[in-house]
Amino acid sequence: MTKKICAIFLMLLFIVPLSVQAQQHSFEIKNGDFVSDGKPVRVLSGEMHYPRIPHQYWRHRMQMLKAMGLNAVATYVFWNIHEPEPGEWDFEGDKNLAEYIRIAGEEGLMVILRPGPYVCAEWEFGGYPWWLQNVEGLELRRDNEQFLKYTQLYIDRLYQEVGDLQITKGGPIIMVQAENEFGSYVSQRKDIPLEEHRRYNAKIVQQLKDAGFDAPMFTSDGSWLFEGGSVPGALPTANGESNIDNLKKVVDEYNGGEGPYMVAEFYSGWLAHWLEPHPQVSATSTARQTEKYLQNNVSFNYYMAHGGTNFGFTSGANNDKTHGIQPDLTSYDYDAPVSEAGWVTPKFDSIRNVIQQYVDYPLPDAPEAMPVIEIAAIELDKIAILDTENLPKVQSDKPLTFEQLNQGYGYVLYRKHFNQPISGTLEVKGLRDYALVYADGEKAGELNRYFNNYTMDIDIPFNSTLEIFVENMGRINYGTEIVRNTKGIISPVTINDMVIEGGWEMIQFPMDKAPDFEEMNKNCVYDNTETVALSLIGRPALYKASFNLSETGDTFLDMEDWGKGIVFINGKNIGRYWSLGPQQTLYIPGCWLNEGENEIIIFEQQHDKPHSSVNTTKIPVLTTLKKLSTTE
């Protein structure tokens, strides 16, 4: 090696580290402020969740947040999508959290990471993997050895993915949240000593630190719940707190008498359930509260800035004293400033107009919306009934839960043959959550946990079969019932108060992928003529069609004329529909469509009338609620 080459090589050794070092940033909580690169900063953040957005659109949505005036994005981490089975991890595609964070950094956004392990978020089981319920001796969300063993495994694996993306390592992650709204849970679980609650919460903080998370930590609770939710060494932030004086008072009380002050969930919209009116939050009130925070040096995180979609079976549920379950919509539009499809809204404009008056950086223009198309009526040329003939069947003396069947989501058909006729009152008190009931192959009625409707009259003829087709409508994601979240039929079935035991048969339809018509029994697949469709009325049915596109774009599938079910587009489950509303359309991202041939499969559970086609529209319908009855 010549002296000249040696000299260049030595220069590079010095120059490269200096270049890397020049890109390093710092973020800390100091002297009552958030301090970025040595200067006080307000965190103006928007919540946006990676699996609710196709990864092809992540950068577009980040640019929307920047255009609204935000300097940060916050996201929960959803344990259950990353570990669908014990020890099997998935961080690919729409689950590639590290890539999501890197894109945020490239777009000039700081990142607030909210890893839970509990997240709520109107997400299935609050983010917990369903299979945790099968672990012997495990008790969720408390100081329990088995539970904490699995949370540590999750947190350690998460660190492998994103640990190097913390601000302390040169990445965009500025803060990490420990647990989530734990003070609320403490207030509801008074059967557990406060000391144990605090031990558990502190152990989650320690697990995060032991894994290597060293960015500033915070907790997130209602301001009146800090006693149960705050943890020493983590900044307490107040969800939904609009009273500035109260915000500062309670944060000072639990944070050594100084700020900074942050509202980690500033509700620019609100969650929506099936069968209930879609809540609306005005653009004016959101803008006024934004200005109030900015005038008083309060940082905030809009929940949500952009909601996105609960694709597949990811939507969760609530419950209250009236309803056994309140399943969340497929749409997670949330009445957010950026719509479900990534559009500018009046609320977006109102927020942008306020923020640009209080920041010293120019706001970029919003990127153009994704193209929107309307597809001509799609003719459904194939129809099929669910084939049970060649599917494996599980035999048991009593109905087994989804979890006992090692199934997380979808549907299970429970079947019981009777040699003698029986009639009277059928009661399925352990229904979780919705069922179609058949006697001797004929539809006898529906049961629905939403209405606490667990009984119906039944007449089962001689030598015939009772069938109960059960749907999991999403595990509860908030409150004390989260620890009682098994699905299917979870207690004995009775007729006239007599327990029906022995000879139960279970057939599983997890619908984790689109049904393959070609592999189904040929006797169950038909050309979709009116005569055939009418002959299949009352039984769950599958419709299929192929359609061609010369151009792709976002669109909305109009399901108002249908009953209840799910839809697959090119193999992707785009979510649940239910004509009772308020959601009547399903969002189809254009990036999931092909120029050329496409395939749609509709699984229609109720199938009260035949269908020959399905339409799309350019405008979503999310607020049309139909008249309800307790028999729906």
Side-chain angles (χ1 to χ4, degrees), residues 150-401:
Y150 282 98
T151 61
Q152 186 71 74
L153 290 170
Y154 155 65
I155 289 170
D156 288 347
R157 185 63 180 80
L158 175 62
Y159 183 82
Q160 290 180 33
E161 291 293 318
V162 303
D164 287 344
L165 294 170
Q166 295 179 94
I167 193 77
T168 53
K169 310 286 193 302
I173 299 174
I174 58 168
M175 291 196 294
V176 177
Q177 181 180 317
E179 242 283 346
N180 183 52
E181 296 179 329
F182 190 62
S184 174
Y185 193 67
V186 170
S187 71
Q188 297 163 345
R189 290 297 306 271
K190 296 188 182 301
D191 57 311
I192 300 173
L194 180 60
E195 293 75 15
E196 182 188 330
H197 282 307
R198 286 175 171 160
R199 279 201 314 273
Y200 161 72
N201 210 9
K203 286 182 179 180
I204 293 298
V205 172
Q206 193 59 49
Q207 286 187 344
L208 288 164
K209 290 180 178 179
D210 290 345
F213 288 102
D214 57 0
M217 290 194 183
F218 71 102
T219 57
S220 177
D221 288 283
S223 59
W224 64 98
L225 299 167
F226 280 12
E227 181 182 7
S230 61
V231 180
L235 174 71
T237 66
N239 291 351
E241 182 57 72
S242 59
N243 185 309
I244 303 297
D245 291 338
N246 190 58
L247 170 67
K248 293 184 175 182
K249 175 184 175 183
V250 71
V251 169
D252 286 350
E253 181 181 349
Y254 286 88
N255 193 45
E258 62 180 14
Y261 309 105
M262 182 168 183
V263 176
E265 293 189 3
F266 170 13
Y267 300 114
S268 54
W270 196 246
L271 59 97
H273 300 130
W274 293 107
L275 313 181
E276 298 174 12
H278 197 304
Q280 303 288 300
V281 177
S282 76
T284 301
S285 65
T286 303
R288 285 175 177 170
Q289 188 62 44
T290 297
E291 185 159 35
K292 194 174 174 182
Y293 289 147
L294 292 170
Q295 290 171 339
N296 288 275
N297 196 30
V298 173
S299 294
F300 54 81
N301 174 50
Y302 291 111
Y303 194 101
M304 298 289 292
H306 169 55
T309 309
N310 294 315
F311 295 114
F313 296 123
T314 59
S315 57
N318 287 311
N319 71 319
D320 61 17
K321 293 180 180 178
T322 302
H323 305 294
I325 191 170
Q326 296 169 285
D328 296 309
L329 301 185
T330 294
S331 169
Y332 202 61
D333 179 83
Y334 213 85
D335 190 32
V338 180
S339 77
E340 179 179 13
W343 301 343
V344 168
T345 67
K347 192 176 293 182
F348 176 100
D349 289 333
S350 296
I351 290 171
R352 175 184 166 95
N353 290 338
V354 170
I355 290 179
Q356 66 183 355
Q357 300 174 42
Y358 289 88
V359 297
D360 58 3
Y361 46 83
L363 304 192
D365 293 335
E368 290 186 12
M370 296 297 174
V372 180
I373 62 173
E374 187 170 329
I375 305 170
I378 300 170
E379 301 298 325
L380 301 166
D381 58 355
K382 294 292 183 184
I383 187 171
I385 57 174
L386 291 176
D387 177 22
T388 62
E389 186 67 27
N390 297 314
L391 288 177
K393 300 168 180 66
V394 178
Q395 310 289 336
S396 176
D397 286 339
K398 63 180 182 179
L400 301 178
T401 67

Side-chain angles (χ1 to χ4, degrees), residues 287-584:
R288 285 175 177 170
Q289 188 62 44
T290 297
E291 185 159 35
K292 194 174 174 182
Y293 289 147
L294 292 170
Q295 290 171 339
N296 288 275
N297 196 30
V298 173
S299 294
F300 54 81
N301 174 50
Y302 291 111
Y303 194 101
M304 298 289 292
H306 169 55
T309 309
N310 294 315
F311 295 114
F313 296 123
T314 59
S315 57
N318 287 311
N319 71 319
D320 61 17
K321 293 180 180 178
T322 302
H323 305 294
I325 191 170
Q326 296 169 285
D328 296 309
L329 301 185
T330 294
S331 169
Y332 202 61
D333 179 83
Y334 213 85
D335 190 32
V338 180
S339 77
E340 179 179 13
W343 301 343
V344 168
T345 67
K347 192 176 293 182
F348 176 100
D349 289 333
S350 296
I351 290 171
R352 175 184 166 95
N353 290 338
V354 170
I355 290 179
Q356 66 183 355
Q357 300 174 42
Y358 289 88
V359 297
D360 58 3
Y361 46 83
L363 304 192
D365 293 335
E368 290 186 12
M370 296 297 174
V372 180
I373 62 173
E374 187 170 329
I375 305 170
I378 300 170
E379 301 298 325
L380 301 166
D381 58 355
K382 294 292 183 184
I383 187 171
I385 57 174
L386 291 176
D387 177 22
T388 62
E389 186 67 27
N390 297 314
L391 288 177
K393 300 168 180 66
V394 178
Q395 310 289 336
S396 176
D397 286 339
K398 63 180 182 179
L400 301 178
T401 67
F402 277 43
E403 289 74 17
Q404 289 170 323
L405 293 166
N406 201 35
Q407 179 176 330
Y409 316 107
Y411 312 83
V412 170
L413 176 62
Y414 295 82
R415 182 184 284 167
K416 163 69 180 171
H417 187 79
F418 290 84
N419 293 322
Q420 298 296 326
I422 185 170
S423 61
T425 300
L426 169 70
E427 183 172 37
V428 190
K429 201 165 187 178
L431 173 66
R432 303 293 184 270
D433 301 298
Y434 174 89
L436 298 163
V437 181
Y438 301 86
D440 196 25
E442 298 293 324
K443 185 177 177 180
E446 299 178 17
L447 301 175
N448 189 338
R449 185 182 175 193
Y450 178 84
F451 295 114
N452 295 297
N453 178 17
Y454 303 118
T455 64
M456 60 178 287
D457 293 334
I458 196 78
D459 186 4
I460 303 172
F462 171 79
N463 194 32
S464 61
T465 300
L466 167 68
E467 293 174 298
I468 307 173
F469 187 69
V470 177
E471 175 194 3
N472 163 12
M473 292 201 294
R475 289 180 179 81
I476 290 170
N477 56 256
Y478 178 79
T480 58
E481 288 302 303
I482 198 168
V483 300
R484 291 176 284 274
N485 244 334
T486 52
K487 292 295 183 178
I489 296 177
I490 69 169
S491 65
V493 174
T494 65
I495 298 178
N496 296 331
D497 296 327
M498 179 179 69
V499 174
I500 306 302
E501 292 183 309
W504 281 99
E505 185 177 75
M506 276 120 318
I507 305 170
Q508 298 174 246
F509 297 92
M511 297 287 187
D512 51 346
K513 57 184 178 180
D516 190 331
F517 271 62
E518 283 65 34
E519 289 187 3
M520 295 181 70
N521 188 312
K522 293 180 181 179
N523 295 325
C524 296
V525 180
Y526 311 93
D527 290 334
N528 184 24
T529 65
E530 185 176 358
T531 301
V532 169
L534 283 170
S535 71
L536 301 179
I537 290 300
R539 302 293 299 186
L542 291 155
Y543 286 87
K544 178 185 175 183
S546 295
F547 59 97
N548 285 287
L549 296 175
S550 59
E551 62 175 353
T552 62
D554 292 354
T555 191
F556 301 88
L557 197 66
D558 183 358
M559 302 306 294
E560 186 169 2
D561 192 45
W562 292 69
K564 191 177 196 301
I566 57 176
V567 179
F568 294 89
I569 298 289
N570 293 329
K572 290 184 177 290
N573 184 341
I574 63 170
R576 301 177 174 100
Y577 65 87
W578 197 353
S579 63
L580 295 179
Q583 178 176 358
Q584 301 295 344

Side-chain angles (χ1 to χ4, degrees), residues 19-44:
S19 174
V20 172
Q21 187 176 10
Q23 297 174 8
Q24 300 295 310
H25 296 280
S26 65
F27 186 91
E28 54 189 333
I29 297 171
K30 185 176 181 182
N31 298 327
D33 279 314
F34 293 120
V35 179
S36 177
D37 291 340
K39 298 179 181 179
V41 64
R42 274 185 302 229
V43 177
L44 311 183

Side-chain angles (χ1 to χ4, degrees), residues 35-56:
V35 179
S36 177
D37 291 340
K39 298 179 181 179
V41 64
R42 274 185 302 229
V43 177
L44 311 183
S45 176
E47 188 90 10
M48 196 168 74
H49 300 146
Y50 55 103
R52 285 176 159 141
I53 310 163
H55 66 272
Q56 295 91 334

